[in-house]
Amino acid sequence: MPARLPLLAFLVGCTVTAVAAQPVTLNVTVPDGLPAGATLGARGDTAPLAWDRSIPLEDADGDGVYTATLDFPTGTGRVGYKLVVDETGSDPTWESGDNRLLLPGRMDADRRAFGGPQAGLPILTVSQAELARDLTVLQEGLL
């Protein structure tokens, strides 16, 4: 028991700093509806998403638009993700096509149909000065 006291004293003296979140809301229409008992989930390559488990999307008002808000830590870059239909006793049914893209901090929502293409991704611009600076860094790295 006494061996735990230094750890407790250390923990009591620590402060916890909250990590600011960059929320992105998924709003997905399922044109044909879901099979009875099935759920719609999101999976991806960056926490809170993961490829081996789904974060469920909910249709709280029954309008056919399934929603989930995902909180990514500040500084999160590109996030690849896909939607799946999860049914008990079956492998997940993945939406077709390439992985979709989220840009936390640059987009606040992704609105689309299940299996449909993404629209409204932010346009990223780079100034002439930024390109010149990047070119200089690359040239110096090659010398």
Side-chain angles (χ1 to χ4, degrees), residues 73-131:
T74 298
T76 300
R78 299 166 49 115
V79 176
Y81 87 101
K82 269 198 155 170
L83 298 171
V84 297
V85 174
D86 290 308
E87 295 183 71
T88 303
S90 299
D91 288 336
T93 302
W94 294 83
E95 69 178 325
S96 61
D98 294 332
N99 291 346
R100 303 324 193 257
L101 177 66
L102 297 176
L103 299 170
R106 295 187 206 148
M107 63 190 296
D108 62 356
D110 185 17
R111 297 170 182 88
R112 62 188 182 82
F114 179 79
Q118 276 187 292
L121 286 174
I123 297 173
L124 303 178
T125 58
V126 179
S127 71
Q128 188 102 18
E130 290 172 312
L131 286 174

Side-chain angles (χ1 to χ4, degrees), residues 16-77:
V16 176
T17 304
V19 177
Q22 299 179 130
V24 179
T25 300
L26 304 178
N27 295 301
V28 180
T29 304
V30 180
D32 298 327
L34 292 175
T39 59
L40 184 64
R43 297 185 183 198
D45 62 11
T46 304
L49 297 171
W51 290 119
D52 63 347
R53 61 176 167 71
S54 295
I55 291 182
L57 281 74
E58 306 280 333
D59 181 12
D61 58 7
D63 65 354
V65 178
Y66 292 78
T67 303
T69 298
L70 308 171
D71 290 324
F72 296 96
T74 298
T76 300

